[in-house]
Amino acid sequence: MDRFVILSGCSGGGKSTLLEALKRRGHHVVEEPGRRIVIEELEGDGSALPWVDAPAFARRAIAMSLADREEAAKIPGTVFFDRGLIDAASALEHLTGEPALISLGQLHRYNRHAFLTPPWPEIYVGDRERRHDLSAAVAEYERLSAAYPTLGYEVHVLPKVGVEERADFVHSVLGLE
């Protein structure tokens, strides 16, 4: 879907903050599946936490991403996603070798412009839901930096600037007012 725009990249690189700025500008946003899953799992039995059973976590993120896309199809206008199906499929493929990325990534498209947050050590912070360290986040970023172009996306690495300038950058690339 051309109106579905993905924000991906390095954990702790400012995706959620940018998403909030885009929301303040009147856009619809979909929060990161992984963080929602971790919150649910911490309140439940915790069997699909990424540090307990990473493949189960990735499979759950794929299912949630597909459901998010279905719900977002009902919303008019541009919808910004904090991560999504490609990130989850890339993780599952990395963890298990299952060829999920190409099949899911080709079948369920986003806007051709994909925005990636680069590693930004100065703002990286772990928390209750983000327990991996910066080196794991950088490794994930490198996998995603390779995955998106492989699927035909034009990748735009977000500049390390303030959130409003990042939102302006996204608007400029997409031709949004």
Side-chain angles (χ1 to χ4, degrees), residues 5-94:
V5 179
I6 195 80
L7 303 178
S8 183
C10 192
S11 290
K15 287 181 302 303
S16 298
T17 303
L18 175 55
L19 208 69
E20 283 302 313
L22 293 166
K23 186 177 181 179
R24 285 192 304 273
R25 291 183 182 202
H27 297 292
H28 294 281
V29 299
V30 177
E31 294 179 16
E32 179 184 355
R35 193 167 281 271
R36 288 182 283 152
I37 292 166
V38 169
I39 290 167
E40 289 173 11
E41 288 293 320
L42 287 173
E43 293 171 357
D45 67 3
S47 61
L49 288 164
W51 53 87
V52 173
D53 187 345
F57 172 79
R59 285 185 183 90
R60 193 143 171 236
I62 288 171
M64 186 175 279
S65 295
L66 288 168
D68 287 344
R69 289 176 58 87
E70 198 171 299
E71 285 301 308
K74 301 172 187 173
I75 300 169
T78 303
V79 180
F80 289 93
F81 291 78
D82 186 343
R83 297 200 183 271
L85 187 58
I86 294 168
D87 294 54
S90 174
L92 183 63
E93 193 165 300
H94 171 73

Side-chain angles (χ1 to χ4, degrees), residues 92-164:
L92 183 63
E93 193 165 300
H94 171 73
L95 293 165
T96 68
E98 294 177 33
L101 185 59
I102 295 296
S103 60
L104 288 170
Q106 293 295 357
L107 187 59
H108 304 281
R109 302 290 298 169
Y110 294 88
N111 185 290
R112 69 181 175 89
H113 297 284
F115 297 91
L116 271 61
T117 57
W120 196 350
E122 294 81 6
I123 68 168
Y124 182 87
V125 177
D127 58 28
R128 181 173 177 247
E129 292 95 32
R130 182 187 301 131
R131 296 186 183 180
H132 56 275
D133 63 12
L134 182 60
S135 64
V138 169
E140 177 188 41
Y141 171 77
E142 290 169 357
R143 284 192 306 275
L144 294 170
S145 293
Y148 277 93
T150 299
L151 294 171
Y153 288 93
E154 186 176 332
V155 172
H156 303 274
V157 177
L158 290 162
K160 292 180 181 179
V161 295
V163 67
E164 292 304 323

